[in-house]
Amino acid sequence: MAKVFPHLDEALRKFIEEQSMFFVATAPVEGGRVNLSPKGYRDTFAILDDRTIAYLDLYGSGAETIAHLRENGRITIMFCSFTRTSKILRLFGTGRVIRPDSAEFDALRPHFGLQHPGIRAAIVVEIDRIADSCGYSVPYLELVDERPVLDALHRRRTDDDFARRIAGDNSASLDGLPALEPDHPLPSAIPR
């Protein structure tokens, strides 16, 4: 039976910190596609307070989450235990995109590992519902290591490559919703 929590207490914080990945779900207001993205790199997620979390958004195959948040703000973050302790934790809330050239991003900097070469933005989520469920059907898996492929790929990309992404597949969602603005900063412009 699911349990609803009033805030992120110490036990929930510990559970979150033990997970090697999380999932992000967003959707447009009407029609369109639901987006569900797996996220890794433990140093890209932070608990800011009892009802606020943030994660470092890295360039990927598109900008669905950014487009959906710009349109309606709805977001769900899910953590899933793959160890002997079965548990799923969902954080429902309202998210917003923080550009890396903003004062708010500067305030978030101490919460993240900023060595990732493909930093696109930060996502901040104000949580309005915290609930768990059993996770009894989730398989047991053992973490071998974090996958270094995305960082390695971004290290090979030039400013021109990222500029093409900003103007191209990161400018809108698959459904045509606006995502990155044309003047979005390049990762190389972000102080490390």
Side-chain angles (χ1 to χ4, degrees):
M1 194 70 164
K3 181 177 178 185
V4 176
F5 301 88
H7 62 275
L8 294 173
D9 60 23
E10 286 306 312
L12 293 174
R13 287 172 182 246
K14 184 176 185 301
F15 174 77
I16 288 170
E17 289 168 2
E18 290 171 348
Q19 305 318 306
S20 58
M21 67 178 299
F22 59 99
F23 301 85
V24 175
T26 59
V29 171
E30 290 187 31
R33 292 166 177 84
V34 174
N35 186 60
L36 178 61
S37 296
K39 305 291 182 186
Y41 298 136
R42 289 182 183 184
D43 63 352
T44 62
F45 188 88
I47 298 171
L48 303 181
D49 64 38
D50 289 350
R51 296 191 66 86
T52 311
I53 60 95
Y55 71 88
L56 203 55
D57 181 63
L58 306 176
Y59 278 89
S61 57
E64 302 305 294
T65 301
I66 289 173
H68 294 160
L69 292 180
R70 286 185 64 188
E71 186 205 29
N72 62 59
R74 295 178 306 154
I75 188 168
T76 299
I77 308 290
M78 185 183 83
F79 291 91
C80 183
S81 174
F82 297 105
T83 64
R84 293 288 174 197
T85 304
S86 62
K87 182 180 195 136
I88 295 170
L89 179 67
R90 290 181 182 89
L91 311 176
F92 302 85
T94 302
R96 55 197 168 81
V97 180
I98 310 302
R99 286 174 49 128
D101 57 353
S102 71
E104 188 171 4
F105 188 90
D106 286 341
L108 292 169
R109 294 169 68 72
H111 296 283
F112 302 119
L114 295 174
Q115 77 283 2
H116 301 286
I119 296 172
R120 180 168 54 189
I123 305 296
V124 174
V125 179
E126 304 295 332
I127 303 166
D128 57 41
R129 185 173 198 270
I130 302 165
D132 71 0
S133 57
C134 67
Y136 291 162
S137 67
V138 175
Y140 301 124
L141 299 173
E142 290 185 26
L143 176 67
V144 174
D145 202 353
E146 289 188 327
R147 190 181 305 264
V149 178
L150 186 61
D151 279 349
L153 174 70
H154 288 153
R155 276 189 201 92
R156 292 191 303 270
R157 288 210 163 121
T158 66
D159 282 353
D160 287 343
D161 294 333
F162 282 110
R164 280 190 292 277
R165 302 288 310 273
I166 291 167
D169 62 355
N170 277 223
S171 67
S173 71
L174 295 172
D175 299 310
L177 296 172
L180 295 186
E181 296 150 328
D183 68 342
H184 195 83
L186 298 170
S188 64
I190 301 168
R192 307 298 170 146

